[in-house]
Amino acid sequence: MTIGDLIRLLSDGEFHSGQQLGERLGVSRAAVWKQLRKLESLGIGMEAVKGQGYRLAEPLELLDGSVIVAGLSRQARSHVARLFVEDVVPSSNQFIRERFAQGAGHGEVCLVEQQSAGKGRRGRTWVTPWGRTLMLSTGWRFESGIAAMEGLSLAAGVALSRVLEAHGVQPRLKWPNDVLLATEGGGYGKLAGILVEMSGDAAGPCEAVIGMGINMDLPDDFRASIEQPVSAVRDQAPGLTRHQLAVELLGELMPMLADFERVGFEAWQAEWNARHAFAEQEVEILQGERREAAVAEQVDVSGNLWVRCDKRRWKLTGGEISVRGRS
């Protein structure tokens, strides 16, 4: 029995006694009780009523790979070699990296309910509650070398934005890898993060793992525990399901990966700049331990962000930016 097996039984909204759960899962009532206690640490609320049993305090939409595959267009499906749905893994990016090490990985997609060691940029931990996000990674092999992947994470942000905008969500993009959403109190909250990891030959075949973590529906107590402002898809699109978002996102993302080596980031440059959250605003640039203030301009055909300060103008090829008091 896994924690995912228990959650799936409880996700029907009905009460289940400890004995019923044990019989369905093939374990003792004591083992069931031990797993029920773990649910609280995963941020999953429970209701317990004497004489009736247990159920989830709120319904959870658990991912089903067959539903996602069935929803894909013919074009998207032609680019998906294999789709995995996992309950818990250290990280979906690591899962795909290991698939590459096994001689697979290209065109493969991994979706997970929860990551035990998920990471964002600069090695930060990416923490999410069970079933409240959409976390996926996909692998793609490029033949022209690492230079062919310039701007790939920015293009992925555009792909996600296109999908969300079709449902009335108004995301903004923060260079290089974040998707933001305006908050009621002003400023922006982080809606999604994108992490692209590359390996291989600088001038020859190389492999990219594109990871995306998207907040779908975050409880208030979880938001309060995060040190930065956060937002969720259902803040603006309450009816959008995780399955629907997964299907539509893969419908944008997989054809983009198939074309990227041929057309480069230039095909997505204008769309990224049109959604640029901090264009012509003063930002703080963080590169290692160095911090510097400048005005953000736009990104170029390679995905570099141009900035200026006084009479000096230069491009950022790495690091990150922030706006004090906002993001």
Side-chain angles (χ1 to χ4, degrees), residues 29-49:
R29 292 181 64 179
V32 169
W33 173 243
K34 184 177 181 180
Q35 292 285 38
L36 286 170
R37 295 188 66 181
K38 287 184 180 179
L39 295 183
E40 293 183 4
S41 66
L42 296 175
I44 300 175
M46 291 289 302
E47 290 182 1
V49 177

Side-chain angles (χ1 to χ4, degrees), residues 56-79:
L56 299 184
E58 296 180 55
L60 286 177
E61 179 199 5
L62 300 177
L63 295 172
D64 184 328
S66 63
V67 171
I68 295 169
V69 171
L72 293 175
S73 67
R74 181 176 297 179
Q75 181 190 27
R77 197 178 303 180
S78 70
H79 298 305

Side-chain angles (χ1 to χ4, degrees), residues 35 38-39 49 97 110 131 137 186 218 253 260 303 305-307:
Q35 292 285 38
K38 287 184 180 179
L39 295 183
V49 177
R97 289 200 309 270
C110 176
S137 295
L218 300 181
L253 187 62
F260 196 84
L305 178 67
W306 284 85
V307 297

Side-chain angles (χ1 to χ4, degrees), residues 48 51 60 90 108 120 126 128 165 215 233 267 277 279 290:
L60 286 177
E108 296 190 345
W126 179 264
T128 55
E165 287 162 1
N215 297 328
V233 170
R290 181 185 176 191

Side-chain angles (χ1 to χ4, degrees), residues 7-165:
I7 293 171
R8 285 182 176 83
L9 283 178
L10 294 171
S11 64
D12 62 3
E14 303 295 328
F15 281 102
H16 299 268
S17 69
Q19 182 177 345
Q20 290 172 334
L21 291 171
E23 291 173 353
R24 292 283 300 275
L25 296 169
V27 297
S28 67
R29 292 181 64 179
V32 169
W33 173 243
K34 184 177 181 180
Q35 292 285 38
L36 286 170
R37 295 188 66 181
K38 287 184 180 179
L39 295 183
E40 293 183 4
S41 66
L42 296 175
I44 300 175
M46 291 289 302
E47 290 182 1
V49 177
K50 189 173 181 179
Q52 296 188 62
Y54 310 91
R55 71 176 181 183
L56 299 184
E58 296 180 55
L60 286 177
E61 179 199 5
L62 300 177
L63 295 172
D64 184 328
S66 63
V67 171
I68 295 169
V69 171
L72 293 175
S73 67
R74 181 176 297 179
Q75 181 190 27
R77 197 178 303 180
S78 70
H79 298 305
V80 177
R82 191 170 178 181
L83 186 141
F84 300 86
V85 175
E86 304 291 327
D87 284 341
V88 182
V89 297
S91 83
S92 55
N93 267 28
Q94 179 179 324
F95 184 97
I96 297 295
R97 289 200 309 270
E98 291 173 354
R99 292 292 297 168
F100 272 128
Q102 296 164 11
H106 177 70
E108 296 190 345
V109 178
C110 176
L111 297 102
V112 300
E113 294 290 1
Q114 190 169 61
Q115 299 184 130
S116 59
K119 291 190 180 297
R121 279 180 54 77
R122 304 174 66 84
R124 297 189 181 104
T125 301
W126 179 264
V127 180
T128 55
W130 184 290
R132 302 282 192 168
T133 63
L134 184 67
M135 291 179 287
L136 67 85
S137 295
T138 184
W140 204 264
R141 185 173 292 108
F142 294 88
E143 299 301 324
S144 302
I146 291 176
M149 293 187 278
E150 289 182 336
L152 182 59
S153 65
L154 280 72
V158 172
L160 174 58
S161 296
R162 287 177 176 178
V163 173
L164 294 175
E165 287 162 1

